[in-house]
Amino acid sequence: MAQDCWYVYMVRCADDSIYTGMAKDIRKRLKEHLARGSECAKYTRSRPVTSLEALWQVPDGHAARSLEWHIKRLTRKKKLLLIQNPETISTLSQDATPLSPDLNLYL
């Protein structure tokens, strides 16, 4: 994984909800969510993460914040479509590159 890039991700929680976040260090962030300690998001502390559904690499923090903002405003139906077709992220960001959502690759 590149050193200077950021990541935007979507995880599925135990209640079948979808959480969207961003991180500079995706391995560290996913481990925080899975550990459900004080470092994870309040949302995933009460809703255990069950899987990584989608992951995109972006060039910088500004691009990550922008993409996260756009994804969070999508309806659940559109989020599920984005998970099924991660390459369609180009409609929200020209800078995002889809990566494998295999959680084991990042732990």
Side-chain angles (χ1 to χ4, degrees):
M1 288 191 276
Q3 294 292 328
D4 295 328
C5 64
W6 281 70
Y7 300 91
V8 177
Y9 59 92
M10 296 172 76
V11 293
R12 187 174 303 272
C13 298
D15 66 354
D16 204 36
S17 62
I18 303 294
Y19 174 82
T20 302
M22 58 176 250
K24 177 81 171 150
D25 183 342
I26 191 64
R27 285 187 173 103
K28 179 182 175 190
R29 191 65 181 138
L30 291 172
K31 286 179 182 179
E32 289 169 353
H33 283 307
L34 292 170
R36 296 174 58 203
S38 61
E39 297 294 319
C40 79
K42 185 177 178 182
Y43 188 90
T44 58
R45 199 172 310 133
S46 62
R47 296 168 182 88
V49 169
T50 58
S51 61
L52 176 62
E53 294 292 320
L55 178 64
W56 297 274
Q57 182 178 331
V58 293
D60 54 46
H62 176 74
R65 282 186 295 280
S66 177
L67 182 54
E68 179 192 36
W69 183 87
H70 281 93
I71 293 172
K72 285 186 172 187
R73 276 140 189 82
L74 295 175
T75 63
R76 177 174 171 80
K77 183 177 180 179
K78 288 184 180 179
K79 288 177 185 179
L80 293 174
L81 287 171
L82 185 57
I83 288 168
Q84 289 176 345
N85 302 293
E87 67 283 350
T88 61
I89 198 70
S90 62
T91 61
L92 300 176
S93 170
Q94 296 298 315
D95 298 326
T97 304
L99 300 175
S100 171
D102 181 354
L103 187 58
N104 294 319
L105 293 175
Y106 307 102
L107 298 180

